[in-house]
Amino acid sequence: MLNSFPKSLYLHIPFCKRRCFYCDFAITTGGENLKQQYVDVLCQEIELTVTAIPPVETLQTIFFGGGTPSLLSVKQVEQILETIAKYFAIAPNAEISLEANAGTVSIESLQGYRSLGINRISIGAQAFQQELLDICGRGHSVKEIYEAVDAIEKAGFENFNLDLISGLPHQSMADWEFSLKEAIALQPKHLSVYDLTIEEETAFAKRYRAGDQPLPTDESTAAMYLAAHELLSTTGYQHYEISNYARSGYQIQHNLTYWHNQPFYGMGMGATSYINRQRIDRPRKMREYLDAVSQWQREGTGFTAPIVDDAEELMDSLMQGLRLAEGMSLNLLQSKYGQELCDRALQVLDRYRDKHWVNFIKQPEEQSEDIRIFLVSPQGWLFSDMIISDLYEQLLPEVAIAKTDSSHH
Ligand code: SF4
């Protein structure tokens, strides 16, 4: 079964001033002299991609993610957007986002980005206590968060997001509530609230073990999750996705592409694309990425990956779609993946119904009597890892076993 054509484009900008202690993203630090070369190669990848897969749809979203895309000059962002505009139709009201870090933006740079059509800025704030920012190895101060938001407003952006992290070492509930309140006071249209995960090979993984002091206990991180839900839901933010809150009409359209498991272009070092049922990861190291694009240029060997089969695609759809408050249409799942596979997934979901973590609701207004399946907010979302891992065991047992094995290493 062919899926539709992408309407979203992700561009990875892998430069950071330093590596935060919890971060395992594909980034490079100190790549100042590499930036222009990277931008040129990224533009080459855009050209090679459209030659291999000519665009069909108008782009509705473009996302500059990182890394720290705000380390690129206005001119470099312009070069990338001009290359895109050469080959793609871009919707006049397209959502064009750029991730930025406090301490890397000014009114002038933001005005410059805005003049290029960027209309959404996402700032990694993470916490509003200097001690916590230092513990995380963040390269900015609390004061710089306020300055960045001030500059965003002065540059004329009305849509911006703040990222926050709960479950940090030494973070108390009082710290967490203070961070949430400070963030709300800055009136972002969107807030992303993540729970810290200790990723392998990070500085945090060497220092801390999940569940051990000074990391908050599982009970405390669950309480932090519920506190965020309570505070933000009562201050005008819709908890529309497991980790995301928005004012009405400001849900991030780009990520909705992922959560609806729709295809998207992804370009740049470490980026993933999902086109024609191929989920393709690019090299995560700078040299390997640059070499791969130049080899593609010379020899016509583009990035490829095996075709995702029905069970994998259903699993991806459930993993993404159950993150959303709106849930998923059972009719749609059955028409795409067939009754038998869907019944297997439903057996698992049904087990969690009695606990009130999962719900099935009939949509009476729909002639077809569609049923929507969703995790109950916020309780079901707290246990989503458990539900997803059960779905893996049911739909993709070989992957579930591989995951368990690798987590023991
Ligand atoms: S700024 Fe973001 S991408 Fe860069 S190192 Fe820190 S967490 Fe990772």
Side-chain angles (χ1 to χ4, degrees):
M1 179 204 337
L2 265 183
N3 56 6
S4 51
F5 294 96
K7 297 177 198 160
S8 289
L9 166 57
Y10 174 83
L11 300 146
H12 194 68
I13 310 299
F15 302 99
C16 285
K17 287 203 288 194
R18 54 193 280 185
R19 186 179 278 277
C20 303
F21 298 150
Y22 55 82
C23 178
D24 75 338
F25 285 7
I27 61 147
T28 173
T29 52
E32 197 54 44
N33 50 356
L34 266 178
K35 273 188 214 158
Q36 189 53 46
Q37 186 189 357
Y38 182 79
V39 169
D40 292 340
V41 171
L42 182 60
C43 289
Q44 240 173 27
E45 193 193 348
I46 297 170
E47 291 175 359
L48 290 163
T49 303
V50 292
T51 310
I53 316 158
V56 174
E57 299 275 4
T58 299
L59 286 182
Q60 304 293 336
T61 72
I62 300 174
F63 192 98
F64 287 85
T68 310
S70 53
L71 289 176
L72 291 189
S73 68
V74 173
K75 212 161 173 300
Q76 288 168 328
V77 174
E78 183 176 27
Q79 183 186 341
I80 298 168
L81 280 171
E82 276 182 354
T83 309
I84 296 169
K86 217 157 111 189
Y87 301 103
F88 290 89
I90 303 174
N93 60 346
E95 175 193 271
I96 310 183
S97 304
L98 182 127
E99 285 187 329
N101 270 322
T104 66
V105 286
S106 62
I107 301 179
E108 295 71 37
S109 67
L110 288 161
Q111 277 171 340
Y113 298 141
R114 188 161 167 262
S115 71
L116 301 175
I118 293 189
N119 49 28
R120 185 181 186 278
I121 299 285
S122 179
I123 292 272
Q126 319 310 5
F128 283 79
Q129 293 78 16
Q130 193 57 50
E131 315 81 76
L132 290 182
L133 293 181
D134 294 342
I135 283 171
C136 291
R138 298 284 303 170
H140 62 83
S141 63
V142 173
K143 188 161 159 271
E144 283 169 320
I145 301 173
Y146 296 112
E147 288 168 356
V149 170
D150 189 50
I152 287 171
E153 280 162 358
K154 292 208 168 102
F157 286 97
E158 54 111 33
N159 186 6
F160 73 94
N161 167 71
L162 290 178
D163 282 347
L164 291 177
I165 306 184
S166 63
L168 293 170
H170 301 283
Q171 188 181 38
S172 67
M173 183 57 123
D175 290 335
W176 177 234
E177 286 183 338
F178 179 79
S179 288
L180 286 165
K181 285 179 185 158
E182 287 302 286
I184 293 167
L186 292 172
Q187 302 193 330
K189 292 285 194 272
H190 193 280
L191 270 156
S192 296
V193 174
Y194 299 109
D195 183 26
L196 176 75
T197 312
I198 304 282
E199 304 288 356
E200 284 175 36
E201 313 280 328
T202 59
F204 267 17
K206 295 193 186 85
R207 272 173 225 170
Y208 311 116
R209 272 166 39 128
D212 283 358
Q213 293 271 359
L215 291 176
T217 59
D218 284 353
E219 290 73 31
S220 312
T221 51
M224 287 181 186
Y225 185 79
L226 295 174
H229 172 80
E230 185 59 31
L231 204 55
L232 293 168
S233 307
T234 49
T235 45
Y237 289 94
Q238 294 169 355
H239 194 176
Y240 73 102
E241 194 265 355
I242 246 173
S243 310
N244 286 284
Y245 297 80
R247 292 270 189 233
S248 173
Y250 287 91
Q251 288 96 339
I252 175 164
Q253 298 304 307
H254 184 81
N255 288 15
L256 281 167
T257 304
Y258 305 147
W259 297 324
H260 290 149
N261 202 23
Q262 287 162 345
F264 55 88
Y265 292 99
M267 300 184 202
M269 176 182 131
T272 300
S273 58
Y274 182 39
I275 310 175
N276 292 338
R277 297 193 78 170
Q278 285 181 292
R279 206 173 275 283
I280 301 176
D281 297 324
R282 280 143 195 76
R284 289 172 57 88
K285 295 242 161 34
M286 181 61 82
R287 186 40 50 206
E288 287 169 24
Y289 168 71
L290 298 176
D291 286 349
V293 175
S294 77
Q295 194 188 352
W296 188 359
Q297 178 90 312
R298 279 194 324 270
E299 298 164 22
T301 45
F303 300 117
T304 55
I307 303 283
V308 175
D309 70 23
D310 274 357
E312 286 171 286
E313 205 181 76
L314 172 60
M315 187 62 229
D316 288 340
S317 292
L318 289 164
M319 200 160 65
Q320 297 294 338
L322 290 176
R323 300 182 64 91
L324 288 169
E326 68 182 34
M328 323 184 65
S329 149
L330 183 57
N331 270 9
L332 196 67
L333 289 178
Q334 285 170 334
S335 69
K336 275 177 136 178
Y337 308 108
Q339 189 79 32
E340 192 266 331
L341 264 182
C342 289
D343 281 354
R344 277 167 55 196
L346 286 177
Q347 272 174 29
V348 172
L349 292 170
D350 214 30
R351 279 185 230 146
Y352 292 102
R353 228 170 159 179
D354 293 344
K355 291 188 188 303
H356 304 290
W357 295 353
V358 170
N359 207 351
F360 301 92
I361 288 201
K362 263 210 178 95
Q363 299 277 292
E365 73 272 18
E366 307 217 1
Q367 292 169 349
S368 51
E369 287 244 314
D370 191 15
I371 289 178
R372 289 200 82 82
I373 317 166
F374 54 92
L375 302 191
V376 179
S377 155
Q379 211 57 29
W381 281 343
L382 262 182
F383 295 98
S384 63
D385 283 355
M386 189 190 293
I387 301 170
I388 295 299
S389 113
D390 273 8
L391 283 165
Y392 259 112
E393 263 172 42
Q394 174 79 317
L395 293 172
L396 299 169
E398 49 320 321
V399 180
I401 289 165
K403 282 187 166 201
T404 320
D405 280 355
S406 68
S407 68
H408 291 156
H409 291 162

